[in-house]
Structure formats: C-alpha cells, structure tokens
Amino acid sequence: MASQDRVEAVTKGKGFWRCPKQTTYTPGTCELLRAMMKESKLTKFQQRHIMDTMKRDLEKEKRRLQNIFATGKDKEERKRKPRPVQHGDPAPELDRFEELVREIQERREFLDDMEALGQGRQYRGLILAEISQKLREMEDIDHQRSEELRKALATT
C-alpha cells in the first residue's frame, strides 16, 4: 500500500528522462551527437534514448516539410502569436554606472553577511574579484563619459 501512495505522488512528465517538451535537432546536430556518443562513455540505454529522440524529431521535420510542399506554407507560421502591445511609456533605461554601484553594494552586503555567519573566508576572494571587475567597468564608463564631455565642450 505504501508503494502505491508513492507512485501517485510522482507527477508525470517530470524527471531526467521524461522531459515535458521535446527539442528539435538539425541534421548537423544529429551527426554531431552521433559522433560524440561514439567517443563518450554513455550506456546503451542513454544512447538509445538520444537516438529515439532524434528519430522523433526527424519524423516531425518530415511532416513539416510535407505540409510545406502540400500547402505552400509552414503550419507553425500561422501559430505565431502577435507581439503584445505595450501600453504607456516604456520604463526608463537604467544607467549602467548606477547599476554597477548597486551591484557592488549588494556584493559588499553579501560578503558582510557571510563574514557574520563565519563563511567570509570562503567567499572573500570571489566577491572581491567581482567587485574589482565592476570597478574596472565603472572606470571605463567614466573614461568614455569624460571623452564625450571633452568632445562636446570642444565643439561649442
């Protein structure tokens, strides 16, 4: 009885091998996967699953091409939804410099929190490297803005 309860709790279409949506592969990708499977150490079950997926995709592609030849149109072209119309003013574009300042503050706060928890040593090098990278990007932006300002002042 307990095993039946567990079976009912598992949702269908989830998990490693039960992907809810199949992906489509081009013939070039299929050839690449075949070559990679020969070199890799996949089990026969894994290889068979990949090959079955590729065969299904090829069947879908065949049906799609048959439909194009028969009707002259791609069936999926008609299924496309129109883009939603944006109402009102678009959101103001954030300044990259200000965004970088916020990101640096967030990283400093994270590092302070980790140090308070005794984990600071583990994250310090990574966070300081990220902060350094953000500072370099800020310096580049500052340099670009200074050049633009010099050019604007020189022309007036």
Side-chain angles (χ1 to χ4, degrees):
M1 238 357 157
S3 64
Q4 289 178 345
D5 292 336
R6 274 189 266 150
V7 171
E8 291 174 13
V10 175
T11 58
K12 292 185 178 182
K14 301 292 181 193
F16 187 72
W17 292 112
R18 296 184 186 150
C19 298
K21 183 179 178 187
Q22 294 290 329
T23 57
T24 57
Y25 300 107
T26 63
T29 305
C30 293
E31 283 300 315
L32 178 65
L33 284 172
R34 282 189 193 102
M36 291 175 69
M37 282 193 303
K38 287 179 183 176
E39 294 176 7
S40 69
K41 295 182 179 179
L42 293 176
T43 64
K44 293 292 181 188
F45 176 75
Q46 291 169 330
Q47 289 181 9
R48 191 171 44 248
H49 177 72
I50 292 172
M51 294 306 292
D52 289 344
T53 303
M54 286 191 295
K55 285 179 187 173
R56 268 185 257 133
D57 292 338
L58 289 174
E59 290 299 320
K60 275 187 190 177
E61 186 67 14
K62 285 179 188 176
R63 284 192 300 272
R64 188 180 74 81
L65 290 172
Q66 286 173 348
N67 190 21
I68 290 173
F69 286 131
T71 62
K73 294 182 181 178
D74 193 356
K75 201 176 193 182
E76 293 180 15
E77 287 180 8
R78 287 183 262 141
K79 291 182 180 179
R80 290 184 186 162
K81 296 179 183 177
R83 288 188 174 185
V85 178
Q86 292 183 353
H87 298 287
D89 296 330
E93 192 173 317
L94 293 176
D95 183 27
R96 179 66 179 150
F97 195 86
E98 294 299 322
E99 187 178 328
L100 289 169
V101 170
R102 275 186 257 123
E103 288 178 10
I104 290 173
Q105 289 172 346
E106 289 173 0
R107 282 164 174 73
R108 285 303 294 164
E109 290 171 5
F110 175 78
L111 186 58
D112 292 341
D113 292 343
M114 290 297 111
E115 287 177 351
L117 294 171
Q119 301 281 327
R121 188 175 184 196
Q122 179 182 356
Y123 294 100
R124 187 174 297 119
L126 176 67
I127 298 299
L128 291 177
E130 289 179 1
I131 289 174
S132 175
Q133 185 180 21
K134 302 295 179 194
L135 287 172
R136 272 187 247 122
E137 190 175 344
M138 289 172 70
E139 288 172 356
D140 290 343
I141 292 171
D142 186 45
H143 181 72
Q144 288 174 348
R145 288 181 179 174
S146 297
E147 288 297 318
E148 290 173 4
L149 185 60
R150 273 193 213 113
K151 288 178 183 177
L153 291 175
T155 58
T156 57

